[in-house]
């Protein structure tokens, strides 16, 4: 029996440097974005397991005995595999999800059921709980929203099954798990991500678990030793793009002009490595004089990404608008539209930030003032959450 009402949160992510070059074995830096996914966990009706995902219109409830029977039925099909197609087919049929359905609500429901059954098969039944998940992150924008969801789910399910501790003591507002427990959370979150994405790199769930910043190269993920918290504007141009098409376009350009394009990739790699060195020597709360070199890295890398062919008029406009307010921006992620990030040095006046936001919104973009270098998965007392988050959780 689970008897406490608590909340779990995990951050989204942005790529600071290394987009596209990372596919070809170069270094990329991924940083935690302080736009978070929140999971509220509370005791549920006896014999029921419920999940609400208001952002994608999901509200489902299952009989725990029925879930137990389903788990036993598919246990033979899995044969010890981490992700068995037969098991996923059985879960789709159980939840009424059509084969091949790829809408966010279908994938989120499938990942929830998969993780519930897989965790309970290893650690014992998930008790009767009511889970609600809400996110500040837009879906499909390359900001790690599905990984933040998987990390929150993994932490909550492992905790209620007793596989990890409940580190929040009475009277505390937040707590974090031990390194060993975070490693377990990350491994289960990765399994949830595989249900959603098929073959993810593991970067997004690692950022969601540990926060801060990570270096990624050729499949190896290394947390940066020290990461300052930097203020940014995150802007979604709302221009849809296909990552697959953009990656293929970069590959084609490299094959066509190797002598021209390979030095560009080497330069992007050098920016990632130089940026890592700068970040690891910066204080936790940097002052204005620490920013010019980071701004130059942004400017140079944005030009490189345009040379690779992944720019877009909307991203050019974003950079022009912020430059008119003496701010420096670059695309983040696949490019071709999508999102951009703008550094906000500590001496940037609130009026300048507001004016930049208004000008960006006037272009039809969506804008958030937030931070990078945020903490990873965190356990909260519900009373310690912000008024905005409490309001949404109460309404849902």
């Amino acid at each position: 029996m689970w008897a406490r009402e608590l909340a779990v949160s995990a951050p989204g992510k942005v790529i600071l440097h290394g987009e596209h070059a990372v596919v070809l074995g170069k270094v990329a830096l991924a940083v935690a974005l302080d736009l978070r996914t929140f999971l509220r966990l509370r005791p549920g009706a006896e014999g029921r397991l419920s999940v609400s995902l208001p952002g994608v219109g999901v509200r489902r409830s299952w009989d725990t005995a029925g879930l137990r029977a389903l788990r036993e039925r598919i246990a033979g099909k899995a044969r010890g595999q981490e992700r068995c197609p037969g098991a996923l087919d059985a879960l789709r049929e159980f939840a009424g999800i059509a084969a091949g359905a790829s809408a966010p609500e279908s994938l989120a429901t499938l990942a929830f059921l998969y993780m519930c059954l897989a965790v309970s098969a290893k650690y014992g039944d998930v008790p009767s709980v009511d889970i609600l998940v809400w996110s500040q992150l837009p879906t499909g924008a390359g900001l790690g929203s599905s990984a933040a969801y998987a990390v929150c789910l993994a932490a909550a399910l492992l905790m209620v099954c007793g596989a990890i501790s409940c580190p929040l003591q009475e009277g505390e507002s937040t707590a974090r798990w031990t390194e060993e427990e975070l490693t377990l959370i990350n491994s289960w979150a990765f399994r949830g991500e595989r249900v959603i994405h098929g073959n993810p790199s593991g970067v997004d769930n690692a950022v969601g678990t540990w926060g801060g910043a990570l270096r990624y190269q050729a499949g190896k993920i290394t947390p940066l030793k020290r990461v300052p918290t930097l203020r940014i504007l995150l802007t979604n141009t709302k221009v849809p793009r296909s990552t697959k098409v953009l990656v293929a376009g970069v590959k084609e350009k490299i094959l066509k002009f190797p002598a021209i394009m390979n030095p560009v990739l080497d330069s992007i790699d050098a920016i990632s490595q130089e940026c890592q060195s700068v970040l690891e020597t910066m204080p936790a709360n940097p002052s204005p004089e620490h920013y010019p070199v980071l701004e130059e890295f942004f400017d140079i890398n944005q030009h490189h990404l345009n040379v690779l062919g992944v720019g877009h008029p909307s991203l050019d406009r974003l950079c022009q608008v912020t430059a008119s307010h003496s701010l420096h921006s670059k695309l983040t992620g696949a490019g071709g539209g999508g999102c951009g990030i703008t550094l906000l040095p500590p001496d940037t006046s609130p009026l300048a930030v507001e004016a930049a936001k208004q000008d960006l919104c006037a272009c039809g973009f969506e804008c958030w003032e937030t931070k990078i270098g945020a903490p990873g998965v965190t356990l909260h007392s519900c009373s310690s959450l912000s008024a905005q988050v409490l309001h949404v959780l109460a309404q849902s």
Side-chain angles (χ1 to χ4, degrees):
M1 180 68 187
W2 183 256
R4 296 180 71 178
E5 181 170 343
L6 295 169
V8 178
S9 76
K13 75 94 180 54
V14 291
I15 301 296
L16 199 59
H17 293 291
E19 294 92 342
H20 291 282
V22 71
V23 177
L24 298 145
K26 307 300 185 185
V27 173
L29 298 180
V31 291
L33 179 67
D34 204 20
L35 292 174
R36 302 179 76 85
T37 292
F38 293 87
L39 181 153
R40 185 193 66 201
L41 176 70
R42 64 185 182 191
E46 188 59 39
R48 305 292 297 176
L49 180 62
S50 302
V51 62
S52 295
L53 311 171
V56 292
V58 170
R59 189 180 292 271
R60 303 290 298 266
S61 179
W62 295 280
D63 179 73
T64 52
L67 289 173
R68 194 180 306 116
L70 174 66
R71 184 185 76 209
E72 289 165 3
R73 194 165 77 244
I74 64 177
K77 297 180 181 179
R79 295 189 190 91
Q81 295 178 47
E82 283 193 350
R83 187 172 61 97
C84 169
L88 291 180
D89 288 343
L91 291 179
R92 284 190 191 93
E93 185 182 343
F94 176 80
I97 297 169
S102 59
E105 60 271 22
S106 299
L107 294 174
T109 303
L110 189 64
F112 178 83
L113 279 171
Y114 169 81
M115 291 179 72
C116 281
L117 268 62
V119 167
S120 66
K122 189 168 180 67
Y123 301 109
D125 287 347
V126 175
S128 300
V129 288
D130 182 6
I131 287 174
L132 185 146
V133 186
W134 171 77
S135 188
Q136 296 169 325
L137 294 157
T139 56
L143 301 175
S145 61
S146 67
Y149 170 65
V151 169
C152 285
L153 267 188
L157 293 171
L158 290 167
M159 187 171 64
V160 298
C161 287
I164 60 174
S165 67
C166 177
L168 190 73
Q169 303 300 316
E170 290 294 341
E172 288 183 336
S173 57
T174 62
R176 305 233 27 228
W177 287 274
T178 65
E179 190 63 25
E180 187 180 356
E181 290 171 324
L182 290 173
T183 300
L184 186 62
I185 290 168
N186 184 57
S187 68
W188 280 95
F190 181 61
R191 290 174 68 169
E193 272 277 82
R194 288 176 71 191
V195 172
I196 295 169
H197 288 301
N199 189 30
S201 67
V203 169
D204 289 13
N205 50 275
V207 173
T209 301
W210 280 285
L214 302 173
R215 172 191 171 116
Y216 180 78
Q217 184 177 25
K220 187 181 179 190
I221 299 169
T222 313
L224 270 61
K225 296 184 193 79
R226 294 174 64 252
V227 187
T229 301
L230 306 175
R231 287 173 61 222
I232 64 159
L233 276 182
L234 172 71
T235 303
N236 186 359
T237 66
K238 301 185 186 175
V239 174
R241 73 278 184 272
S242 165
T243 300
K244 191 175 179 181
V245 169
L246 288 158
V247 169
V250 171
K251 190 175 180 182
E252 186 182 331
K253 200 170 252 198
I254 293 163
L255 289 171
K256 191 175 181 182
F257 304 115
I260 296 169
M261 302 310 295
N262 284 322
V264 176
L265 296 170
D266 290 339
S267 182
I268 291 174
D269 185 61
I271 291 170
S272 294
Q273 297 195 55
E274 289 283 331
C275 185
Q276 177 180 347
S277 299
V278 170
L279 291 175
E280 289 186 329
T281 57
M282 285 172 81
N285 293 300
S287 49
E289 66 268 20
H290 293 105
Y291 277 76
V293 67
L294 294 179
E295 292 176 333
E296 285 194 76
F297 290 161
F298 265 38
D299 294 343
I300 297 167
N301 202 359
Q302 179 62 22
H303 289 304
H304 285 346
L305 290 161
N306 280 327
V307 170
L308 291 181
V310 298
H312 189 270
S314 64
L315 293 163
D316 294 340
R317 184 75 188 123
L318 188 162
C319 292
Q320 289 162 2
V321 167
T322 56
S324 72
H325 297 279
S326 303
L327 299 170
H328 300 254
S329 305
K330 67 175 285 289
L331 69 83
T332 183
C339 293
I341 49 176
T342 306
L343 279 173
L344 296 178
D347 58 348
T348 310
S349 76
L351 285 174
V353 175
E354 199 51 46
K357 285 165 71 174
Q358 286 182 5
D359 288 352
L360 289 166
C361 290
C363 297
F365 304 155
E366 195 172 5
C367 217
W368 299 267
E369 188 177 344
T370 184
K371 298 185 184 80
I372 53 176
V377 64
T378 302
L379 186 61
H380 307 257
S381 68
C382 286
S383 60
S384 71
L385 298 173
S386 73
Q388 179 214 18
V389 174
L390 281 172
H391 177 73
V392 173
L393 296 180
Q395 297 297 308
S396 302

